[in-house]
Amino acid sequence: MKNSFLRRRVFELRSGVKDLIWGMKNPESFKCNNNLSPLMGRFSSYKFELLSGIKSDDYVSDCFYFNRMEAKINKFELSDYFNHKGYLPSILQSNAIPLLINSISGIVYDANDKIIDANTVAERLRNDPVNDEFVIKRSVGTGGGESVEIGNADEIIPFFNLYSNKKYDFVIQPLVKQHDKLAEFNPSSLNTVRIMTLAYNGDVHHISSMVKMGGPGGRIDNVSAGGLCIGIKEDGSLTTFGFDCYLNKTTRHPQTQLEFPGNYEIPYFDEMVAVVKDKHTLFKSHGIISWDVSVDNTGYVTIVECNTAWSGLESHQAFHGPVFKDHMEYIKNIN
């Protein structure tokens, strides 16, 4: 029931209770105002003022964002298709991770989209002339790094057999090569840039960005899997602090001890933003998308995945304040 009416109502109830409890522990929040949710949104106004240092009445609560923005401008009946990693290269047309193996509905396809015998996959991976390691992941439902495994051919094959037996849709991809400056944050993981875009009235707007990195020894970038995120300013430079998944603030990576200097610039940041803004025009049924993007040393931009449902807002506002402040008139007219 990922996108069901029931889930959204339950989420609204739980979110309201959580916000009220937080507000009672922080009584100053009752003095705040919120332009979108005058009653319950005041708690978000105060919470994100504390985190970002920016006072505003234009913060968006989680409940409002998911149920009164995302739910109304994204057609969720299409989200599983758009999020499906086996279809994503065809949807994007370029800048996607190549598919070495694509298993859909029990049928296995090779890199050329030709049906192959599943029994040949192990030998294909072992004899791959380019790649020594691979990523195998379920085509949908990999939030938090779940069902994502990295390894050589012999380490991947057991998961190929497991996912096949469970009748999952899944893909096997090469490892994405990241820019040396992105690797500095945590060399063991692919550190991606999360970019949020909003489309309406024929224009695509860059809303907010941050870089996500894996935790100590981690191979994936997921913040919920022990990693961190750091805010990216409009000019591509970083905020001087990061957050974990609980919004605990830090100024250095726990593994590399790399500090987050304000003059550090994400390589090819403008190019990454330009690519996802262009790709958003292909998703005409979805007004808001969060993209996970990487770039290599040559400047080639790779879209690792796009998130069209239940993609978080909290960290963006914790870094950058009220990220939708320039779009409030449009947001108010949605409802």
Side-chain angles (χ1 to χ4, degrees), residues 55-107:
K55 182 177 178 60
S56 175
D57 297 339
D58 290 335
Y59 285 106
V60 181
S61 69
D62 266 4
C63 186
F64 190 98
Y65 174 72
F66 287 119
N67 283 2
R68 298 183 64 184
M69 281 185 61
E70 194 185 65
K72 294 194 174 184
I73 62 177
N74 285 9
K75 289 190 176 179
F76 284 118
E77 59 268 27
L78 296 175
S79 287
D80 278 348
Y81 170 65
F82 285 142
N83 293 343
H84 194 291
K85 296 171 183 64
Y87 294 123
L88 192 58
S90 298
I91 297 169
L92 294 176
Q93 302 172 21
S94 64
N95 299 94
I97 305 176
L99 302 181
L100 302 177
I101 300 293
N102 184 14
S103 181
I104 298 178
S105 299
I107 307 298

Side-chain angles (χ1 to χ4, degrees), residues 290-302:
S290 291
W291 310 83
D292 289 336
V293 186
S294 187
V295 68
D296 65 16
N297 285 336
T298 70
Y300 182 78
V301 175
T302 297

Side-chain angles (χ1 to χ4, degrees), residues 22-24 26-33 42-43 46-47:
W22 187 89
M24 294 175 67
N26 297 271
E28 285 295 311
S29 62
F30 285 91
K31 300 177 183 179
C32 293
N33 299 309
R42 67 185 67 211
F43 306 124
Y46 189 60
K47 175 181 179 180

Side-chain angles (χ1 to χ4, degrees), residues 149-221:
E149 304 294 340
I150 300 173
N152 61 33
D154 290 326
E155 292 168 326
I156 291 296
I157 290 305
F159 292 101
F160 174 87
N161 295 330
L162 175 65
Y163 294 175
S164 296
N165 291 336
K166 289 182 174 290
K167 303 188 184 305
Y168 294 154
D169 284 3
F170 62 91
V171 299
I172 298 178
Q173 302 167 322
L175 293 182
V176 175
K177 293 179 174 60
Q178 63 185 330
H179 195 284
D180 291 343
K181 290 202 71 176
L182 286 177
E184 287 177 5
F185 293 109
N186 185 10
S188 68
S189 69
L190 173 64
N191 305 307
T192 62
V193 173
R194 167 65 62 91
I195 304 173
M196 178 184 287
T197 54
L198 175 69
Y200 64 93
N201 296 338
D203 294 315
V204 180
H205 306 271
H206 170 220
I207 297 300
S208 176
S209 294
M210 58 187 176
V211 61
K212 304 190 303 172
M213 63 196 72
R219 301 295 302 271
I220 59 175
D221 66 350

